[in-house]
């Protein structure tokens, strides 16, 4: 079984909304708070920003904080039984000792949950 293509999955969701709402489609979700990683405090960028904003809107989650299972476990939190993760793209990077630069050479998928899907998370 292959993993769903991240870009195709995101494009499909947006295209379906545009087909439903016509050519005058406008982004229906609020951009009040950009998605960010609850464990690191860093904001998600690029397609992950779009995907998590869309996922939050589609599922009615109004908290912009997301994090992975292992990040939550390290903080003493746990995912509630039955909750579903959102698959995002996670860059794979390699540090070049000669130049001192870190370069992204590809992506892998990662699963994140909204902060509202956890038990044991301090506000």
């Amino acid at each position: 079984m292959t993993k769903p293509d991240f870009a195709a999955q995101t494009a499909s969701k947006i295209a379906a909304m545009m087909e439903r709402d016509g050519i005058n489609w406008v982004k229906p979700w609020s951009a009040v708070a950009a998605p960010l990683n609850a464990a690191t405090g860093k904001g998600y960028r690029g397609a992950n920003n779009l995907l998590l904003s869309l996922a939050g809107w589609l599922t009615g989650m109004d908290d912009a904080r997301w994090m992975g299972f292992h990040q939550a476990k390290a903080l003493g939190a746990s995912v509630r039984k039955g909750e579903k993760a959102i698959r995002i793209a996670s860059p794979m990077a390699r540090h070049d000792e000669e130049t001192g630069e870190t370069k992204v050479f590809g992506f892998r998928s990662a699963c994140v949950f909204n902060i509202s899907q956890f038990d044991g998370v301090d506000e």
Side-chain angles (χ1 to χ4, degrees):
M1 184 171 162
T2 61
K3 295 178 183 174
D5 182 304
F6 172 75
Q9 188 179 42
T10 303
S12 175
K13 288 177 184 177
I14 294 171
M17 290 190 328
M18 291 176 82
E19 285 176 14
R20 183 189 69 216
D21 298 334
I23 197 162
N24 295 324
W25 181 83
V26 294
K27 181 179 80 170
W29 60 89
S30 171
V32 172
L36 61 94
N37 185 294
T40 66
K42 292 182 181 179
Y44 289 96
R45 300 181 314 184
N48 288 338
N49 185 326
L50 173 64
L51 181 63
L52 293 175
S53 293
L54 178 62
W57 176 75
L58 288 173
T59 58
M61 295 177 195
D62 57 359
D63 198 309
R65 297 173 296 163
W66 300 79
M67 67 178 157
F69 173 82
H70 294 292
Q71 290 175 317
K73 187 175 178 183
L75 296 174
S78 59
V79 179
R80 280 190 214 101
K81 186 175 182 171
E83 295 289 353
K84 303 291 184 207
I86 302 296
R87 191 174 299 275
I88 62 170
S90 179
M92 295 185 297
R94 187 175 293 139
H95 184 73
D96 186 334
E97 295 294 331
E98 289 182 22
T99 64
E101 294 179 356
T102 300
K103 296 182 179 179
V104 173
F105 65 90
F107 291 89
R108 63 180 174 83
S109 66
C111 293
V112 295
F113 295 87
N114 187 272
I115 200 78
S116 66
Q117 296 173 288
F118 292 100
D119 286 324
V121 176
D122 293 333
E123 292 298 320

